[in-house]
Amino acid sequence: ASSKAVYAPAQPDGDCSASGTVAADSLRTDDPKRDEYVRSPEFLDAEDFPELRFSAELAGDDAIAGD
């Protein structure tokens, strides 16, 4: 797992961003059957897509964009 956050208050619009990566097979819900389903091809397909990547940006007038 990894993460990164950037805040640039010196920039006129005060842009900031955040991103992160999580191993799909590391997700735990305290329910083994649900964990198996979440990692299965029917949901996250952790075998073919081993990483979950997140990113978001906050720019200007509180507009949010993300992947």
Side-chain angles (χ1 to χ4, degrees):
S2 66
S3 61
K4 179 180 178 180
V6 177
Y7 176 58
Q11 294 180 357
D13 55 9
D15 289 356
C16 63
S17 63
S19 62
T21 303
V22 176
D25 64 357
S26 71
L27 297 175
R28 302 288 185 270
T29 66
D30 291 328
D31 182 332
K33 285 186 177 184
R34 182 176 29 223
D35 293 347
E36 185 178 323
Y37 173 70
V38 167
R39 292 188 294 265
S40 78
E42 294 177 31
F43 201 87
L44 292 178
D45 198 358
E47 188 172 321
D48 288 335
F49 301 96
E51 290 186 337
L52 304 173
R53 297 181 190 165
F54 303 92
S55 66
E57 295 180 8
L58 182 61
D61 296 327
D62 298 332
I64 298 174
D67 294 331

